[in-house]
Amino acid sequence: MKKKEKIEIIREFTSDRKLISELEEILTSIQLKFPFGKDKFHNILVATTEAVINAIQHGNKNDPQKKVTVKIIAENKTIQILVEDEGEGFDPSTLQDPRTPENILKERGRGIFIIKELSDSTSIVTGKSGTVVKMEFKI
Amino acid sequence: MLKSKENRPLRLCILSTFLLIFFYEIRSQIVLSVFQDTSLKKNYISQIFDKQFNIYRLSSSLSFAQKFSSFNVSFLNDYEGFIIRGNEISKKDQEKLFLEVDKSLFHFLDLSIQSNYLFNSDTKTIGLYEAEKINGSVGLVLKLPPISKVLFTYGMEKIKQVSIEQYGPRLSLGANVENFNIIDVNLNSKLFLEEINLKDGRKNSNIFFNLKFDGQFEENNSLFISLDYSNLRRDYIVYPIYLDNFFETRKENRLFPTFGLSYNLFGKTYVNFTGQLNLFSINRYYNLFDPTNQYSAIERTLLEQSTEFNIELFAENKYFSPRFGLNYYLRNEENTIDKKYEIDNQTFSQLASTELQKNNFQNRLRLFYNFVFRPSKNNLTFLNGNLSILRYDTPSQLNDDDRDEFSFLTTLSTIQKFSEYYTLSISFDIQLNHLVFLKSTKSSLNNWNRIIKLTASSQYNTEFFLWKPNLEIYSNYLVYDFEVASNSTKSFAFRQFVYRDSLELFFSNIFMLSSILVYKFSERGKLFWNTFSMTKELGIKEFFMRALLYVSTKPKLQFGFGARIYNIKQVPLGKSSFHEEYSYYSFSPETEIKVFLGKDKVIFLQGWYELKFWNYKIAGENPNLILTTKVAL
């Protein structure tokens, strides 16, 4: 019986946004073992980048002492990505759809909107010790 | 609809109780508490169903109050539920239901029966907030002027938290005094006591007391003194053990005296003064020791004292009304622990250190002003401002949040009405914040933040159209003080341009066109404050347009159809940008139907079918629907 392949990668980012370019390298290495199309690669990269930027800017508030942890699990035609910050959490119900006249002028909510649109499933668990954004992509 | 099936017996129980009371005029053993806000001013039913993207929301509300020949009935029901559909489905429900029946026995005595039902559920949380409560009481209301009401009730309460269900007797006592006049001073007071005794010493109790004196002396002088006291106790089932004899007690005490004075100094010049003191404490402890939970061995205490004073000097004149004020706020928070069960010294010291890190002391001085100019009946110009200094100290060496914050915000606005058809308003805002962390560990975050905003809007209003264009330019500059020493913090600039436009064209009594257009462009990049230059990193363009043509038929139906378009495009700017380029576009045909069934009776249906494109390729579709019904009874 063929053994199921699984890749699990964990990276910790400080609030230095330059490190985001590492994500591209990680996804490329996963793509070698779990082939998926160019569009899907782009979707995963955009959604993950948005989640990490959100975590740095809004979660950790650019505090260099706080870290953003990214966990990537590739298994069974699914890539699961968890992005966790060390901020004080927020109320996800306050984030509204930006595609309405009353919300388009608001500053926040674009990142989560993009993540939801690009991933096949998104969940947000938030509390006083941080926020975890979990994204799933079918490949 | 969104509730679990487990709640059905309870809902049926409440409904049957209601019917029993309604038709047989009280023979029940159900609840009460006259001192809740049960004043139902309007009778109505309203329902909203909303499906947008993957979020479903249902809310319904029913309010009914009716006086019958020998008794009064009040009924209130509010429900709100959310479902977020993804690979995992998460749900959140909240429901409140209240029923009260009053029957007059004598002119000074009423019989009162009440029932309350509360339900909370949220699959996203750890489960402790999964709670359900139903109670029923019967009691007497004694009406003794000037003490308007004294109420004593006795009943039963059932509480379900997570999977633990318990029953217990419920006792309550309430009294209030309304507008009792003592030598030109008005006295109002309320008292409410409630106690529910559950199994194994578990109990919930409430004490609320309010006393207020207020008086009006001469035409423009007044003062008030008030005192609020509350004492609450809650015994919560412990996470994640869920045993019916293991609970955490939370006791909350608050004393809140306030004082206010309004005095006419001379002519039309006045002074207002308010002061308040807030003494607050929370005690938390467990009734049993659990070796796997170190917090069960200790008792935690939080003490909070805060005080606030506000003084305002103002004048009211025909052309010019100035106002100056000063506000001072001081707050101290202290967290301590005591041993309740045996615990080793090292663990106790660690827990004490964690609590100590929460301690803080803050004081803030705020100056504010507001000048209103009315040079003519067609112009209104005002200048508002706010300047504050905050000092935040933490005694623990392990907490490095100690900081000073300086903030200044001012707005100059003018509104000019040129004719009965055309009004122009211009507003200019400046905001300045300086943040200084007092410990070196966080000093890399010290920064100056400057925000400038200019807004111009106008309104053309004629018999045939209403046009409201609005333009906004916004700049935000954040400059870190020590960015040279830190690789990870970089000063940035954010600039944004927004044009918003709404237009309504009235072709006839039957046809009307309504449109909204928003265009937003923003760019962000690294800022070099010394040379006031910027290396652009990211540009975002956003566009939204919605246009609907409405057709109204006499007298009851309005039908609208049109479309909405949304586009967001992100473009990395410059070589150092780490952002990805994307473009999202959606086009949605849309329709609206509004049915007027009579005064305060409306049904509203709105739907739009969204076709989505990612980077110019089809990326799916999504139907959205909103149904709202509001019917006055």
Side-chain angles (χ1 to χ4, degrees):
Chain A
M1 197 174 139
K2 194 183 171 186
K3 195 184 167 188
K4 280 183 185 173
E5 274 207 271
K6 181 180 177 181
I7 296 178
E8 191 168 326
I9 298 167
I10 298 177
R11 285 280 188 282
E12 275 188 350
F13 297 99
T14 61
S15 294
D16 188 339
R17 282 178 261 161
K18 277 182 183 174
L19 295 171
I20 289 170
S21 57
E22 265 191 56
L23 284 173
E24 198 164 353
E25 290 167 22
I26 295 168
L27 287 174
T28 308
S29 68
I30 291 173
Q31 200 185 21
L32 292 174
K33 287 198 173 179
F34 294 82
F36 47 88
K38 199 177 153 189
D39 287 347
K40 186 59 85 176
F41 183 93
H42 183 262
N43 288 358
I44 298 171
L45 186 62
V46 171
T48 312
T49 308
E50 288 298 321
V52 174
I53 291 170
N54 260 356
I56 291 170
Q57 286 181 353
H58 302 301
N60 291 352
K61 301 197 189 311
N62 291 317
D63 188 342
Q65 292 180 3
K66 291 183 176 172
K67 287 175 182 151
V68 173
T69 308
V70 179
K71 189 174 178 183
I72 304 176
I73 305 160
E75 187 182 25
N76 291 340
K77 294 191 175 179
T78 303
I79 296 182
Q80 197 181 79
I81 300 176
L82 291 95
V83 179
E84 183 175 3
D85 66 46
E86 295 178 353
E88 292 168 357
F90 70 101
D91 181 0
S93 64
T94 58
L95 291 176
Q96 290 166 329
D97 192 331
R99 294 163 299 173
T100 54
E102 62 275 19
N103 293 333
I104 195 168
L105 292 175
K106 289 179 186 166
E107 286 259 344
R108 292 194 64 180
R110 303 295 183 279
I112 295 292
F113 165 70
I114 297 298
I115 293 164
K116 281 180 176 172
E117 283 288 330
L118 289 174
S119 63
D120 293 298
S121 171
T122 312
S123 67
I124 301 166
V125 179
T126 181
K128 287 202 167 176
S129 57
T131 299
V132 183
V133 176
K134 183 176 154 190
M135 299 165 279
E136 270 187 22
F137 302 89
K138 287 173 188 159
I139 52 174
Chain B
M1 181 183 156
L2 305 177
K3 292 157 70 67
S4 67
K5 287 179 182 175
E6 292 164 17
N7 305 317
R8 282 185 187 161
L10 272 170
R11 289 158 69 86
L12 285 171
C13 169
I14 291 162
L15 184 64
S16 56
T17 307
F18 172 72
L19 293 172
L20 188 76
I21 291 163
F22 195 79
F23 293 110
Y24 296 100
E25 280 199 39
I26 303 159
R27 226 180 280 157
S28 127
Q29 59 278 50
I30 306 289
V31 196
L32 74 141
S33 138
V34 157
F35 295 86
Q36 297 188 42
D37 183 16
T38 60
S39 52
L40 306 176
K41 293 185 176 70
K42 279 186 179 174
N43 295 343
Y44 65 87
I45 300 174
S46 84
Q47 285 215 306
I48 298 171
F49 172 75
D50 187 329
K51 188 255 166 190
Q52 290 190 50
F53 194 54
N54 64 338
I55 302 171
Y56 296 71
R57 180 170 74 103
L58 175 69
S59 73
S60 69
S61 188
L62 167 64
S63 175
F64 175 79
Q66 185 69 46
K67 189 169 184 170
F68 294 94
S69 58
S70 59
F71 61 96
N72 298 326
V73 176
S74 300
F75 182 73
L76 181 71
N77 180 220
D78 279 315
Y79 169 76
E80 187 156 43
F82 289 92
I83 289 181
I84 302 172
R85 282 187 70 174
N87 280 3
E88 297 164 10
I89 291 179
S90 59
K91 290 192 269 181
K92 189 175 176 180
D93 294 89
Q94 275 186 330
E95 180 157 16
K96 270 192 298 189
L97 197 145
F98 173 77
L99 169 71
E100 182 184 32
V101 178
D102 276 345
K103 179 173 170 56
S104 181
L105 301 176
F106 304 99
H107 70 281
F108 63 91
L109 194 68
D110 283 0
L111 177 68
S112 179
I113 294 177
Q114 290 189 356
S115 180
N116 287 286
Y117 171 68
L118 291 169
F119 174 77
N120 276 304
S121 165
D122 188 347
T123 57
K124 284 263 178 216
T125 65
I126 54 175
L128 278 177
Y129 301 111
E130 188 108 14
E132 197 171 7
K133 182 170 103 168
I134 182 165
N135 63 34
S137 303
V138 61
L140 293 170
V141 183
L142 187 63
K143 294 181 281 188
L144 293 171
I147 296 173
S148 348
K149 276 180 184 174
V150 176
L151 168 76
F152 176 77
T153 71
Y154 185 76
M156 288 293 286
E157 179 159 308
K158 178 183 131 180
I159 292 181
K160 185 179 173 189
Q161 192 193 350
V162 203
S163 55
I164 305 292
E165 256 185 37
Q166 287 191 353
Y167 298 82
R170 176 180 178 274
L171 193 71
S172 80
L173 175 73
N176 67 5
V177 178
E178 279 179 9
N179 296 323
F180 182 53
N181 205 275
I182 319 163
I183 327 168
D184 292 339
V185 175
N186 232 7
L187 166 69
N188 283 278
S189 184
K190 278 184 184 175
L191 171 71
F192 180 67
L193 313 170
E194 184 187 34
E195 187 165 300
I196 299 119
N197 286 299
L198 302 163
K199 207 178 144 190
D200 298 318
R202 187 181 167 206
K203 74 174 186 180
N204 294 330
S205 64
N206 295 306
I207 300 173
F208 296 104
F209 174 69
N210 165 265
L211 178 69
K212 186 177 180 185
F213 293 96
D214 64 278
Q216 179 88 26
F217 307 99
E218 300 170 358
E219 195 182 344
N220 296 311
N221 301 332
S222 63
L223 76 86
F224 76 86
I225 300 169
S226 79
L227 176 73
D228 285 277
Y229 172 72
S230 63
N231 180 313
L232 315 177
R233 175 183 167 145
R234 297 285 182 275
D235 288 348
Y236 294 109
I237 296 296
V238 176
Y239 172 81
I241 300 174
Y242 305 145
L243 296 172
D244 62 356
N245 63 344
F246 186 27
F247 52 84
E248 184 187 7
T249 297
R250 187 182 192 278
K251 287 181 180 171
E252 189 181 305
N253 271 285
R254 184 186 294 274
L255 186 68
F256 185 58
T258 52
F259 168 77
L261 171 76
S262 280
Y263 188 72
N264 185 190
L265 290 174
F266 52 85
K268 290 192 172 181
T269 305
Y270 307 85
V271 64
N272 277 352
F273 175 78
T274 56
Q276 63 186 48
L277 180 69
N278 185 11
L279 302 171
F280 180 61
S281 73
I282 297 176
N283 275 82
R284 294 167 68 184
Y285 56 88
Y286 292 75
N287 69 321
L288 297 172
F289 176 60
D290 169 17
T292 63
N293 179 359
Q294 55 196 14
Y295 284 104
S296 67
I298 57 166
E299 177 174 345
R300 283 176 281 180
T301 305
L302 176 144
L303 290 171
E304 182 191 308
Q305 304 107 34
S306 69
T307 184
E308 187 167 3
F309 298 100
N310 197 78
I311 185 161
E312 282 177 52
L313 183 68
F314 63 100
E316 285 176 354
N317 297 307
K318 188 179 174 187
Y319 299 110
F320 177 53
S321 300
R323 180 182 291 257
F324 298 94
L326 187 145
N327 177 284
Y328 182 66
Y329 175 72
L330 192 137
R331 180 181 176 275
N332 184 51
E333 179 184 330
E334 201 177 328
N335 294 271
T336 52
I337 58 169
D338 293 297
K339 280 185 187 175
K340 198 163 186 299
Y341 298 98
E342 212 34 61
I343 181 172
D344 67 83
N345 287 337
Q346 192 188 349
T347 310
F348 183 78
S349 299
Q350 278 172 357
L351 292 171
S353 167
T354 306
E355 291 302 303
L356 180 67
Q357 287 177 50
K358 297 176 189 168
N359 294 356
N360 66 79
F361 173 77
Q362 54 180 297
N363 60 67
R364 186 193 65 207
L365 179 68
R366 190 164 69 88
L367 301 167
F368 54 93
Y369 56 83
N370 168 238
F371 302 109
V372 180
F373 305 91
R374 294 177 210 88
S376 72
K377 65 174 185 176
N378 291 323
N379 184 278
L380 179 70
T381 299
F382 54 90
L383 177 70
N384 293 333
N386 193 335
L387 189 144
S388 72
I389 300 166
L390 169 84
R391 163 60 71 95
Y392 184 90
D393 284 315
T394 61
S396 167
Q397 292 301 311
L398 298 171
N399 187 338
D400 46 11
D401 272 346
D402 303 52
R403 63 187 184 269
D404 283 344
E405 283 181 38
F406 166 80
S407 169
F408 173 66
L409 171 69
T410 193
T411 304
L412 175 66
S413 297
T414 183
I415 302 166
Q416 175 71 40
K417 190 173 179 179
F418 287 97
S419 71
E420 68 175 294
Y421 305 113
Y422 179 55
T423 305
L424 174 72
S425 36
I426 295 172
S427 186
F428 182 60
D429 294 60
I430 295 176
Q431 192 177 336
L432 183 66
N433 296 302
H434 190 203
L435 175 66
V436 179
F437 284 97
L438 303 177
K439 290 183 183 168
S440 60
T441 45
K442 277 204 167 179
S443 60
S444 64
L445 291 174
N446 293 358
N447 69 70
W448 280 94
N449 188 203
R450 299 162 176 91
I451 296 170
I452 301 164
K453 192 168 86 171
L454 179 68
T455 313
S457 58
S458 61
Q459 179 172 321
Y460 296 89
N461 190 7
T462 74
E463 196 181 334
F464 305 105
F465 71 89
L466 172 65
W467 183 34
K468 289 196 267 185
N470 177 295
L471 183 75
E472 183 190 294
I473 298 165
Y474 173 94
S475 301
N476 183 345
Y477 304 102
L478 187 80
V479 183
Y480 288 101
D481 293 354
F482 306 112
E483 68 175 314
V484 179
S486 167
N487 286 326
S488 53
T489 49
K490 295 291 172 206
S491 302
F492 74 84
F494 175 81
R495 300 189 299 212
Q496 182 170 275
F497 165 90
V498 181
Y499 177 71
R500 187 186 166 94
D501 186 306
S502 90
L503 174 68
E504 288 184 359
L505 290 171
F506 308 102
F507 300 117
S508 67
N509 288 339
I510 298 171
F511 295 103
M512 194 261 277
L513 179 78
S514 173
S515 77
I516 296 166
L517 182 148
V518 182
Y519 175 76
K520 195 161 102 172
F521 173 70
S522 65
E523 51 185 27
R524 186 189 161 102
K526 279 183 200 156
L527 173 69
F528 304 95
W529 183 251
N530 291 338
T531 53
F532 199 63
S533 57
M534 171 182 170
T535 306
K536 291 178 189 175
E537 289 184 336
L538 175 72
I540 296 178
K541 289 177 192 166
E542 227 173 331
F543 174 79
F544 176 85
M545 189 179 167
R546 178 176 182 257
L548 264 81
L549 179 69
Y550 289 95
V551 182
S552 300
T553 63
K554 279 188 181 177
K556 291 176 180 171
L557 184 71
Q558 189 183 61
F559 176 68
F561 60 95
R564 61 170 72 190
I565 297 167
Y566 175 74
N567 175 235
I568 181 167
K569 188 174 182 181
Q570 177 168 295
V571 186
L573 303 168
K575 287 177 185 171
S576 63
S577 178
F578 47 82
H579 294 273
E580 294 296 322
E581 182 172 349
Y582 65 76
S583 171
Y584 171 89
Y585 172 77
S586 74
F587 171 76
S588 319
E590 180 169 354
T591 189
E592 258 186 43
I593 299 168
K594 210 179 258 186
V595 185
F596 302 93
L597 299 169
K599 198 188 170 198
D600 297 328
K601 293 180 184 174
V602 181
I603 298 173
F604 175 69
L605 180 69
Q606 183 186 16
W608 64 102
Y609 198 89
E610 197 172 16
L611 302 163
K612 299 187 280 190
F613 303 85
W614 265 107
N615 294 328
Y616 314 104
K617 290 178 187 168
I618 293 172
E621 67 239 1
N622 184 49
N624 300 276
L625 180 75
I626 298 172
L627 173 63
T628 308
T629 312
K630 184 155 188 175
V631 179
L633 298 172

